[in-house]
Structures are given as C-alpha cells and as structure tokens.
C-alpha cells in the first residue's frame, strides 16, 4: 500500500464513523484527540503530515517503517501518554489515551506504523511502535469520542483509518470576461468580471501557444473526413508505439527526419500520412504509405517502428495470417508487405494463433539489447517470443511458451488485458528486458538471464494491483520509466488518491510505494472517461513530467528529479473537457505529445472535430544559451 510522503497534508478519517480525527471541543492541557463532527465556528478536523523515522533497509523492506504523525499547523505530534511517561500509566493497560503533544526526537511513544487492512484498499491500522497497540475509539457510536489505544482486533471497524489527502494546490488564473450592467435609466455598461474558466498564469513553465487549427483533415466532423477509431489499442503511455486499428490517428516520424508526421488508418485506403512542414503545420495533401493488407480486415492492428535500428521506421501489421512487415526504401516509400507474412504467429486468425486484442497484449521491443526489435506476446498459456536475427528475419516461435505465466488463462495466472497491465523493461541494468506485471495482489517480475531465458515470476510489491484499489488499466494508468537521470526503472501510477511512485532498486525489486502528489487521481476528479494522463519530458531536462488533459485544459506537474513532482500548473487553455477548453472527448478526439518541428521540444497535437489542432511548446524558445 502506498503511504503519503511528508509534504502532503491529510485528514485522518475513521472507517466506522466516516468522521475525521481532530482536537477536542475546547483546547485543553492534555491535548486530547477526538473523532466527530466539527462545526464551522469551532476547531476543525486537523490536517496531518507523515514524517518518516530513519529506518534500516531491512525494516523498510519488511514494511516496518515508522512515522511521526505531525499536525500540519501546530507541529504537535501523536503521542502515546503511557509510553512517554511510563511512571504515569502501565503501557500494557487497555484504553490508554492518545494526545497531540510537543515532538521529542527519538521518543518511541511518538512513532507509529501504518499497517494495511488486508483486503480493504486504502484502510490502515495505526499501530504504536512500542507494543503494537492500535488507535481505536473510546465509544465508537458517540460523537466527539476520544481516541484511545487498544489491543489489535481484526474485526473492529473502529480501528481502521483512511488517509485522505487535502485538496491539491494548482497554479492558474481566472479568465476575465465582459459582464453587462443595467442602470435605472435604461442605459447599459460593461465591466470585467471573473468567470468559471481558467487560463495559464503569466510565466507558467513550460508555456504553450494558444491552440490553433492547422489542418482541416483527420477530424471527426464530416467536413474533416469523419474519422472514427474502430479498434485502436494504445501502449500504457497513450503514445505511439502501441497498436492502432482502423480509423485511428497518431503521430510518427515516417521519414527519419526527427519530425513527427500525422498518420491515419483509413479502412478502405490503408495507411495515409500528412508530413510535417517543420513549422508546426502539416501538408494539406495526404500521401499513401501502404495499402491495406489483403484481404483488409477490421481486426488488423498497425504500427510504425524502426525494427532494424537503421534510423527509418517500417510498417508492421498484425494481420489474420501473422506479422507483416513493410520496410521503408531509400526513397522514403514503403515496400509492399508481400504475399507471405514475415512470421506466421501473433495474428488474429486461427492459422496465426488466434491472438485477440482484448485478451492478448503484444509488444515490439529490443529484448536482448542488439538494436533490433523482437516480438513478445502474452497468450492464454503464457509468454511467447520471436527474436529478430541480423538478417531482419523473425525466428519461428517454439512449441511451448518461453514462460508459463502472465497469460490470460487460469493456468498462466488469469491476467486480464483491461485490468492487469504488463510491461517490458530493464529492471536490472543488464541491457535485457524483463517482464513486469501488475496483478490483483501487486507487482510481479520475471527476470531475463544472459541466455535469454525468463525466470519464474517473483512477487516484489504489494501495490499497483486491484486489491489496492487500482481497478483497471484504463482508469489507473501505470508506467515503468526512469524518474531520475541514470537511475533504475521506477513504477509511476495514477492511483485512487493521486500519483504513486515506487523507486526501482536496480535488482528487479522496488522500494515501498509512496503517494507523492495529491493530484491526477480519481479522488481529485480525474477519470478515464474524460481525461488523459501521460508522462513525458516537456522541459528537456531528461526527467519525465506529468501531463494531464483535464477539464480546464492541459496541466503539467514538473518532475523534481528525485521521484517527486511539483504542484500542477495550467499551461494551455485548450484540449480540455469543458466547453471553454474545447469540449474534447476521449473517445473521439485523440491527443498526443510529439515533436513536430524537430527542435527537440514536445508540442501538443490533437485531432478535434474540424481537424488537427496544435499548441507549440514555447519553453526556452526565447532564452539565450
């Protein structure tokens, strides 16, 4: 379970009553803590911060990390009266009081463990570090009841507590609009007044230009081509690199010029593109990259990827009869895929294994570090791999999967595509990709050895799974990437309470997860049905930032370079769900971050109703070296 970092302010809510913990009705010398309703005129529910106590690596790995629970305003901390003054009370006695008191360095009576309630996502027992007694209510049914310490009882709901982060802090300005004023003599005048809409603050970093319609094609409106995605399947990041179905539009470098072009999959015509002009606009005319694979099938999936490491992308299709590859020629055209597939596997037809998009994820990735992309797929019975050789040929797959795990069938773990994301990532730094998956109970890892064999999966972390509240891959996106330059691969996810990070140790395991930002989670109103959330390096410092397409527009939370992120800033008033931000919809209007000019900065590109919209990244544009 993810524990909030010290910077976040929290309310502590009792699970039995749903009421917050705070100070007593009147200030008193004993600092009594109570749970109950708090009136507007009196003291309110306190906000608290968790300050970790220095622990050994072994203690932290075993979940024995201790915390000081500090009042965010007064600085006073949870205090076990008996442990602080053993002469005043018997520490083993039941129902001893808990108070907020002045902090004393190293006082064990002011140190607490957060123990997850098994099978109840987001609930904890707050356990004293001295003897294992837990926080409870003196009279669970009474309002304003005292908080006491009692022996742990797994069936007592009053001993369970929920940590609720305070509202996120965001940076934006209200939009001023003209408002009509009526006068007694019938005359009318106007004045500027704030509206419900927001705009970026001056100096927001990074800053983006206003959203501009640059191409009246590839849109969902009738006049822009009436594009409609029928079977697109994206990578966990939502960026190019996943597989796309008929009607999909995305950004990809089709020529090797380091500029992203527009690519669309027209069911009747095939793969078409509109090239970037290098100035933030695109060619008016579409060019045909590749006709449909005969016979055209709506279940075919496509992508563009440099499969050989030659610097130019190829077109790869997962067709009914297997994998088809169309390499790019010297003149920039794509050769026909041919009569025979490059590999009779990983296709949706029975002759190619019966791979289905909603059950069997497939990846193009360099699993061995030789610079060539291989094909990896998770079928019913486990993981299958086809390596690419020096001649660009894909090896036939064997009779058995390389790993009987991470598969859809119960015999391979019962991994569901919509619920259990799986990744290929180098978690050890040896240049070979390992398999990482988030199942119901948490994170599992299978390491790849020097011979290319995958070890039996190891359970490494009790977070990022369905049992911890991560209900689906779509609602709670998860990523494996480095949050620090040169560091190990970390796990970053958008969880129920906000952004959660688990730092990689570089040996295939991960540190205990931490809630590092109280934003971009379902608790803050972010949902997959309305919003997109991505990780991308917007500022060019080498660290991924959080980018969210929210109600008001595009929000960015900068990476601090240590696995933490700053408060979100509104950087573009467009591409958002609200009407005044463009009324963009997830199911109709794809949005991407891509470098469309070749200047090394990621711009925002969206496919709206009338066509293609762009907001240029202005960060460092007017700065001198």
């Amino acid at each position: 379970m993810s524990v909030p970092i010290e910077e976040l302010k929290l309310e502590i809510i009792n699970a039995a009553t749903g009421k917050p913990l705070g100070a007593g009705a009147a200030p008193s010398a004993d600092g009594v803590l109570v749970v109950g309703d708090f009136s507007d005129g009196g003291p309110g529910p306190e906000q608290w911060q968790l300050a970790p106590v220095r622990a050994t690596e072994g203690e932290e790995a075993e979940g024995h990390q201790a915390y000081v629970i500090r009042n965010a305003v007064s600085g006073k901390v949870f205090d076990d009266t008996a442990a602080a003054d053993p002469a005043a009370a018997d520490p083993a006695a039941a129902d001893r009081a808990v108070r907020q008191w002045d902090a004393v360095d190293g006082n064990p009576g002011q140190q607490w463990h957060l123990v997850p309630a098994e099978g109840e996502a987001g609930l904890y027992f707050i356990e004293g570090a001295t003897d294992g007694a837990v926080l409870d209510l003196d009279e669970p049914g009474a309002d304003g009841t005292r908080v006491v310490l009692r022996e742990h009882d797994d069936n007592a709901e009053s001993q369970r507590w929920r940590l609720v982060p305070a509202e996120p802090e965001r940076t934006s300005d209200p939009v001023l609009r003209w408002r009509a004023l009526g006068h007694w003599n019938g005359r009318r005048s106007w004045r500027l007044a704030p509206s419900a809409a927001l705009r970026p603050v001056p100096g927001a970093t990074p800053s983006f230009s206003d959203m501009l319609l640059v191409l009246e094609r590839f849109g969902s409106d009738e006049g822009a081509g009436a594009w409609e995605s029928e079977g697109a399947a994206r990578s966990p990041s939502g960026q190019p690199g996943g597989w796309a179905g008929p009607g999909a539009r995305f950004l990809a470098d089709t020529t090797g010029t380091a500029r992203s072009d527009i690519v669309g999959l027209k069911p009747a015509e095939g793969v078409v593109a509109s090239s970037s002009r290098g100035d933030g606009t695109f060619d008016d005319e579409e060019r045909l990259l590749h006709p449909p694979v005969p016979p055209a099938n709506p279940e075919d999936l496509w992508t563009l990827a440099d499969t050989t490491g030659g610097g130019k992308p190829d077109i790869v299709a997962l067709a009914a009869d297997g994998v088809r590859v169309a390499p790019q020629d010297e003149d920039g055209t794509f050769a026909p895929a041919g009569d025979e597939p490059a590999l009779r596997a990983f296709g949706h037809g029975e002759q190619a294994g019966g791979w289905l998009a909603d059950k069997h994820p497939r990846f193009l990735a360099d699993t061995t570090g030789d610079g060539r992309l291989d094909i990896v797929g998770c079928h019913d019975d486990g993981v299958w791999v086809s390596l690419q050789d020096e001649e660009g040929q894909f090896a036939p797959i064997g009779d058995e999967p390389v790993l009987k795990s991470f598969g859809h069938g119960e015999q391979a773990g019962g991994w569901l595509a919509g619920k259990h994301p799986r990744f290929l990532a180098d978690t050890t730094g040896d240049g070979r990709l390992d398999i990482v998956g988030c199942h119901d109970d948490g994170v599992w890892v299978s390491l790849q050895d020097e011979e290319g064999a995958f070890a039996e999966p190891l359970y490494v972390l009790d977070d990022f799974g369905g049992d911890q509240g991560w209900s689906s891959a779509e609602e709670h996106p998860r990523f494996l990437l480095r949050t620090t330059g040169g560091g190990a691969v970390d796990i970053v996810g958008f969880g129920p309470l906000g952004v959660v990070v688990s730092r990689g140790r570089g040996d295939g395991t991960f540190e205990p997860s931490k809630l590092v930002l109280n934003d971009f989670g379902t608790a803050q109103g972010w949902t997959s049905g309305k919003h997109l959330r991505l990780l991308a390096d917007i500022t060019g410092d080498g660290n991924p930032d959080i980018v969210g397409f929210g109600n008001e527009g595009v929000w960015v939370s900068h990476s601090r370079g240590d696995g933490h992120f700053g408060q979100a800033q509104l950087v573009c008033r467009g591409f958002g769900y609200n009407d005044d931000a463009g009324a963009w919809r997830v199911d109709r209007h794809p949005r991407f971050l891509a470098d469309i000019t070749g200047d090394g900065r990621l711009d925002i590109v969206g496919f709206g109703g009338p066509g293609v919209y762009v907001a240029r990244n202005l960060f460092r544009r007017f700065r001198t070296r």
Side-chain angles (χ1 to χ4, degrees), residues 259-314:
R259 296 197 302 261
S260 292
D261 308 312
I262 296 171
V263 179
L265 303 180
K266 282 190 173 181
E269 297 182 28
V271 185
V272 298
S274 177
S275 297
S276 169
R277 293 171 173 164
D279 60 357
T281 66
F282 300 89
D283 288 343
D284 291 331
E285 297 299 322
E286 298 174 6
R287 59 188 176 94
L288 181 65
L289 299 183
H290 197 281
V293 172
N297 193 307
E299 295 184 35
D300 292 348
L301 298 177
W302 299 72
T303 194
L304 273 79
D306 180 6
T307 62
T308 62
K312 288 189 175 183
D314 309 307

Side-chain angles (χ1 to χ4, degrees), residues 597 599 601 603 616-623:
T597 63
D599 62 2
R601 289 182 290 265
D603 308 298
R616 295 285 302 278
N617 188 340
L618 305 178
F619 185 65
R620 297 187 185 276
R621 188 172 299 280
F622 303 111
R623 299 187 183 185

Side-chain angles (χ1 to χ4, degrees), residues 1 13 15 115-118 120-125 157 160-162:
M1 296 292 291
I13 308 296
V115 182
E118 187 173 353
E120 297 182 79
L123 294 183
Y124 297 87
F125 295 98
E157 189 177 7
R160 290 163 165 78
W161 303 84
R162 188 180 304 278

